[in-house]
Amino acid sequence: MSKVIDKYKRFVADEKMSAYNEMNTFLYRQAVILQYKRAEGKK
């Protein structure tokens, strides 16, 4: 089990994974902002 945990930690710490997570965070925030603006526009 410790080998699996080590591999997972290396995978998550990878630079590409970090960039991927940052991109997902950005896209999520953009979607939330758009949803909020649409709701405000309907009012």
Side-chain angles (χ1 to χ4, degrees):
M1 187 65 171
S2 63
K3 288 182 183 181
V4 173
I5 293 171
D6 289 339
K7 284 184 180 183
Y8 173 76
K9 285 181 181 178
R10 278 186 266 137
F11 174 74
V12 172
D14 185 55
E15 283 183 34
K16 291 179 183 175
M17 190 64 176
S18 177
Y20 177 78
N21 285 333
E22 288 177 24
M23 180 186 69
N24 278 342
T25 301
F26 172 78
L27 293 174
Y28 175 76
R29 288 179 180 166
Q30 293 298 311
V32 169
I33 291 169
L34 183 59
Q35 184 179 16
Y36 173 76
K37 294 292 184 179
R38 284 183 179 158
E40 286 294 308
K42 289 181 181 180
K43 287 181 183 180

